[in-house]
Amino acid sequence: MKTTYETLMSIKKKRGAGYLVLIDPDKKEMRELVCLAKQCEASDVDGLLIGGSLLFETVFDHCVKKIKEAVSIPVILFPGNSRQVSGSADAILFMTMISGRNAHYLIGEQVISAPIVRSLNLEAIPTGYMLIESGKTTAAEFMSNSQPIPRHKPEIAVATAMAGELLGLKMLYLEAGSGADKPVPDNMIREVVKSVRIPVIVGGGIRDPQIARDKVLAGADFIVTGTVMEDMANHSMLKEFAKAVHHDVH
Ligand code: 1GP
């Protein structure tokens, strides 16, 4: 059986790029979260990420389980901290915040969660999380107490990405932050993608399918949207996003 990482790689190979939707358990009632997950699957979304900067709800594990039961696309944890671990998911983006210099998010949270991830036998996908300046202070920036990479300094992003690859990370996540004013700049994506061989996920502040398409054309392997789908009125856009991201390779 394929690992979730291998599944993601085959999605990338087959579809040109993959479309992932972030579901934040804090943002809606359980029923609505499950409904969104089902709509994602029906709209050609390739996988779901579950997580958030905070956690007000005490039912994280239950929420992951319910979503996992409702869909057959990969359900991957995208934890804001070491409390967001659940054995019901297919895998976890085991992230280290390589853009910042706060040791707690580079290795501290990982030390806390590693024994739990191991005991749950959860597939861990080692991922370098790179926060990019996006106009205003985001929750990710505030909560991690770390400085984002300046958006006009692609060379810093490139060197950081290279370091992540040399350290053996399997994916990079270029993140503007949830609800960001401005998404990660196209030229920064282009430069990073040119410099590394590992897949690059891009998310934060993407509210329009055309913007998602631009990020794919700049070289993003996976696109993540979260906030735009919190509004039920936008669910009809799921298919448009999926279409904008995919450029199926035959
Ligand atoms: C946040 O990249 C994700 O971690 C998604 O961002 O909520 O702005 O779409 P948005």
Side-chain angles (χ1 to χ4, degrees), residues 30-127:
M30 182 88 72
R31 197 173 34 82
E32 289 170 287
L33 296 176
V34 170
C35 172
L36 171 60
K38 285 184 178 163
Q39 270 181 304
C40 286
E41 179 163 48
S43 308
D44 214 15
V45 172
D46 298 297
L48 302 173
L49 297 183
I50 304 186
S53 291
L54 286 167
L55 201 57
F56 283 91
E57 297 299 330
T58 52
V59 290
F60 185 76
D61 186 52
H62 184 58
C63 170
V64 176
K65 190 162 181 273
K66 285 279 165 213
I67 290 174
K68 177 67 195 152
E69 281 167 5
V71 297
S72 56
I73 52 176
V75 173
I76 304 167
L77 303 179
F78 175 61
N81 57 53
S82 52
R83 283 172 60 214
Q84 298 175 21
V85 178
S86 162
S88 300
D90 294 304
I92 179 169
L93 291 187
F94 201 74
M95 293 184 287
T96 173
M97 194 166 193
I98 55 175
S99 55
R101 297 296 178 269
N102 180 347
H104 191 66
Y105 284 89
L106 267 168
I107 186 64
E109 287 288 310
Q110 297 79 351
V111 171
I112 296 167
S113 60
I116 304 161
V117 171
R118 208 18 99 70
S119 73
L120 292 170
N121 207 14
L122 193 54
E123 178 189 336
I125 303 174
T127 305

Side-chain angles (χ1 to χ4, degrees), residues 22 78 173 175 177-180 203-205 224-227:
L22 171 64
F78 175 61
Y173 195 126
E175 168 77 287
S178 196
V224 180
T225 66
T227 310

